[in-house]
Amino acid sequence: MLAAGSRKVPQPSMFRGLASMTSLYWKSFVWFCLGVTLSHPAWSDDGITIPGYEPATGVEHGYSVQKAIETDMSFWFDKPGASVTVRGAFRQRMTVLSRDENGMRVRWSLSADLPAGTAGSPDSYQMNLPYRNSLTAYGTPTLELETDLNGSPNTLFGADRILAHMREMAANGPGGVAETGASATRASGVYDILSKIEQNPLLIAAALVPEAQLLAMGQSDQDDVMQIGQPLEVSQTEDYSGVDVPVVSTWTLESTDAVSRTATLSLSEEFDAAAFSQSQQLAITKMMAAFPDRVKSLAADQLASVKRASKTRSAKFVVSLDDGSAVEATETISMTTGGATFRTYTHILREDMPARLPLPTALTATDLPTPDLRGEPLPSATTRPGILDELSTKPVPPTASPDTTVAAGNVEAKAIAPVSLKVQSAEVVRSPVSSDQGLNIVLTPESAATFRDFTQAALGRQTQVLINDKVVMEPWMREPIMGDHFVLGGTDGKEVEALAEQLRIPEASIVVRLRP
């Protein structure tokens, strides 16, 4: 029997692990009870009662959090570096401040510091620095949330203060001086992000403490009675890029432990392949456009495979049979689209409980082959820098040498030499998402390979693109550019036309370097 109102089925949007492929929008949660509500003892003839979530108030719990993201581009590149793994390790703290019949008020204390005793080299945990930059951008090390009775966030307290901080930092350039010209143009994208956050402040919680929602998935607002090994299916529809995608979620009570008084539950989700493929067509088209020569060489079955997309999610929860708390959780999300495969792994463990769940190698390996993703930490809020991707982080020192630039505050960071890239063609194009004009630059095959290596080495750092010794763009390198072309934007139409003319001459080239 399935009745509305209890254990929560995970939804897409703001707490989705692979946010790069879809927009972030808060959806209404669909609640489902995985069994009739009874008040029997935990072990009874009718099944096992998983109690509703009733945590003690005023007690702070520490949580060990491990995350990893795998990106596999080996379909497009038969070379080392086609598969990349990045990971992070964190320690977050949570306190239930108050609780009544309607919900709870919860405080999360957040840190980007690598926990003491973490296995492996600190340099192999590249997700910690971007998270530290996020804390700087939002201007707060704590979040207070109002949640449902199962712990799912529904209101963020202090959102106006956080937004005011973000607006101030976005409006001011280095040293508190407002940006002008191209920098101001690039900042317009930041205000689009701020506008979305203003419409839904819970996006801040999604960015800073997604652990809250994952734990809530394994917690219920009331008792559930389940039979070991008996799967319970729930069907729902999720919105991806305007496409309704049917999803079948299956919950199973796998085991119980009478000594620790815990139960282990599993969740698996299958997304309708046809509908999900339809939702990913824009991303697939962009991926294919990045590899035109490779696409021409594909056999019919390979091309059909590239045009398909798929997604699965699996999770496990260890739940206390005393108060219904999820004391350990794992989640794996796998998505294939346009010939590329992306996997995200998450493990959360309450520190007063022993680890029980098996973990993937990406989370446990002492020595994990990883790319050089050294980034540059954002300055503290007192220096009032620009904060999001398009904004600069500091003025260019007049004596800086681009050949020896290193990440600020890290004298051991690897220097990356500038690269000169030969241009095969350059044409003016119109952005598919705005009315702005851009310059589509296609590189020669040799230069495309050089540029790919540069972008992989420069991940997390700000770069400069120079045409005839003039800086025309200063992008942050957020992901490797694996194709043979890219688009320069953020300038007016006349300037785009002028740049195109400069690059149409024989043997034309551009220079890409780290920003001094």
Side-chain angles (χ1 to χ4, degrees):
M1 173 180 177
L2 296 177
S6 188
R7 198 167 307 278
K8 181 168 294 187
V9 174
Q11 295 294 292
S13 73
M14 61 182 291
F15 289 100
R16 184 183 297 128
L18 295 170
S20 61
M21 288 295 174
T22 54
S23 300
L24 294 174
Y25 295 98
W26 182 251
K27 308 293 190 304
S28 298
F29 288 110
V30 180
W31 295 51
F32 295 91
C33 176
L34 303 181
V36 295
T37 302
L38 299 172
S39 58
H40 293 183
W43 285 269
S44 72
D45 294 338
D46 297 314
I48 297 172
T49 299
I50 312 299
Y53 181 46
E54 294 185 358
T57 59
V59 178
E60 182 179 79
H61 287 292
Y63 291 86
S64 170
V65 181
Q66 298 169 276
K67 300 179 182 181
I69 301 175
E70 293 179 351
T71 302
D72 186 355
M73 296 285 291
S74 57
F75 179 87
W76 299 106
F77 291 101
D78 186 20
K79 296 180 180 180
S83 181
V84 175
T85 300
V86 296
R87 64 178 176 178
F90 311 87
R91 182 180 186 271
Q92 315 295 25
R93 293 171 291 134
M94 187 272 286
T95 304
V96 177
L97 302 175
S98 61
R99 183 178 184 276
D100 59 25
E101 68 277 7
N102 298 315
M104 291 172 281
R105 181 162 180 156
V106 174
R107 179 177 64 232
W108 283 89
S109 300
L110 310 173
S111 173
D113 295 340
L114 196 65
T118 301
S121 167
D123 288 341
S124 69
Y125 293 87
Q126 304 93 332
M127 295 177 70
N128 285 64
L129 178 56
Y131 185 70
R132 185 182 304 280
N133 286 345
S134 294
L135 293 177
T136 300
Y138 291 104
T140 180
T142 63
L143 289 182
E144 289 200 10
L145 303 166
E146 181 180 278
T147 77
D148 299 335
L149 286 173
N150 74 332
S152 181
N154 57 40
T155 303
L156 172 64
F157 295 101
D160 290 344
R161 173 181 53 80
I162 295 174
L163 280 165
H165 170 85
M166 296 178 70
R167 290 191 203 98
E168 183 178 10
M169 295 187 74
N172 292 303
V177 179
E179 298 280 13
T180 60
S183 295
T185 301
R186 290 192 298 272
S188 62
V190 177
Y191 290 101
D192 291 339
I193 296 172
L194 287 172
S195 176
K196 292 178 181 179
I197 294 176
E198 288 170 353
Q199 296 173 29
N200 179 16
L202 280 174
L203 292 172
I204 298 171
L208 296 185
V209 62
E211 296 81 10
Q213 183 60 29
L214 179 53
L215 291 173
M217 289 181 190
Q219 298 167 167
S220 175
D221 64 343
Q222 59 186 22
D223 294 354
D224 295 330
V225 175
M226 303 180 68
Q227 300 285 346
I228 291 180
Q230 180 178 329
L232 297 169
E233 288 191 356
V234 177
S235 298
Q236 76 267 10
T237 299
E238 299 183 358
D239 182 293
Y240 284 80
S241 303
V243 177
D244 288 336
V245 178
V247 183
V248 176
S249 302
T250 303
W251 284 91
T252 305
L253 174 60
E254 294 194 346
S255 64
T256 60
D257 188 315
V259 176
S260 64
R261 290 192 54 79
T262 59
T264 300
L265 290 78
S266 65
L267 166 68
S268 64
E269 287 191 321
E270 294 291 337
F271 293 71
D272 183 82
F276 190 73
S277 293
Q278 181 185 350
S279 75
Q280 298 300 304
Q281 286 307 301
L282 178 59
I284 292 170
T285 300
K286 289 182 177 180
M287 184 70 75
M288 294 175 63
F291 302 93
D293 294 335
R294 174 79 167 112
V295 169
K296 293 176 183 177
S297 68
L298 295 178
D301 59 335
Q302 291 177 310
L303 185 60
S305 175
V306 169
K307 293 182 178 180
R308 291 194 295 266
S310 63
K311 180 178 179 181
T312 61
R313 184 204 311 262
S314 61
K316 287 190 176 182
F317 304 90
V318 177
V319 179
S320 168
L321 293 176
D322 292 322
D323 65 3
S325 299
V327 297
E328 186 177 11
T330 62
E331 180 187 53
T332 300
I333 300 174
S334 179
M335 184 170 76
T336 298
T337 182
T341 299
F342 308 89
R343 297 183 183 90
T344 65
Y345 305 96
T346 303
H347 176 232
I348 306 173
L349 176 66
R350 206 172 77 182
E351 293 180 340
D352 62 332
M353 299 295 291
R356 297 178 178 274
L357 300 177
L359 302 180
T361 302
L363 296 179
T364 61
T366 301
D367 297 313
L368 184 69
T370 53
D372 179 6
L373 300 186
R374 293 185 179 92
E376 185 169 348
L378 290 177
S380 65
T382 56
T383 61
R384 302 180 185 274
I387 57 164
L388 299 179
D389 291 359
E390 295 82 356
L391 298 183
S392 57
T393 59
K394 61 179 181 178
V396 178
T399 59
S401 168
D403 294 332
T404 57
T405 300
V406 297
N410 182 3
V411 296
E412 297 179 355
K414 180 180 178 182
I416 303 173
V419 292
S420 179
L421 307 172
K422 292 185 179 181
V423 176
Q424 183 169 293
S425 66
E427 61 177 332
V428 178
V429 297
R430 190 167 296 279
S431 169
V433 296
S434 70
S435 60
D436 297 335
Q437 287 186 321
L439 180 61
N440 183 50
I441 298 176
V442 179
L443 303 174
T444 64
E446 296 80 6
S447 289
T450 299
F451 189 43
R452 182 195 69 228
D453 294 342
F454 175 89
T455 61
Q456 287 179 326
L459 283 174
R461 303 173 74 172
Q462 191 173 18
T463 63
Q464 292 181 330
V465 179
L466 292 82
I467 299 178
N468 289 337
D469 298 324
K470 177 184 177 182
V471 177
V472 298
M473 192 178 186
E474 294 184 325
W476 280 91
M477 201 59 61
R478 296 305 184 192
E479 58 185 355
I481 297 177
M482 310 301 283
D484 63 355
H485 74 280
F486 60 96
V487 177
L488 297 181
T491 54
D492 60 43
K494 291 183 178 180
E495 186 171 356
V496 171
E497 292 284 358
L499 293 175
E501 288 298 323
Q502 296 177 52
L503 295 179
R504 287 170 182 155
I505 63 174
E507 301 298 318
S509 65
I510 63 175
V511 172
V512 183
R513 68 187 185 190
L514 295 183
R515 181 180 176 180

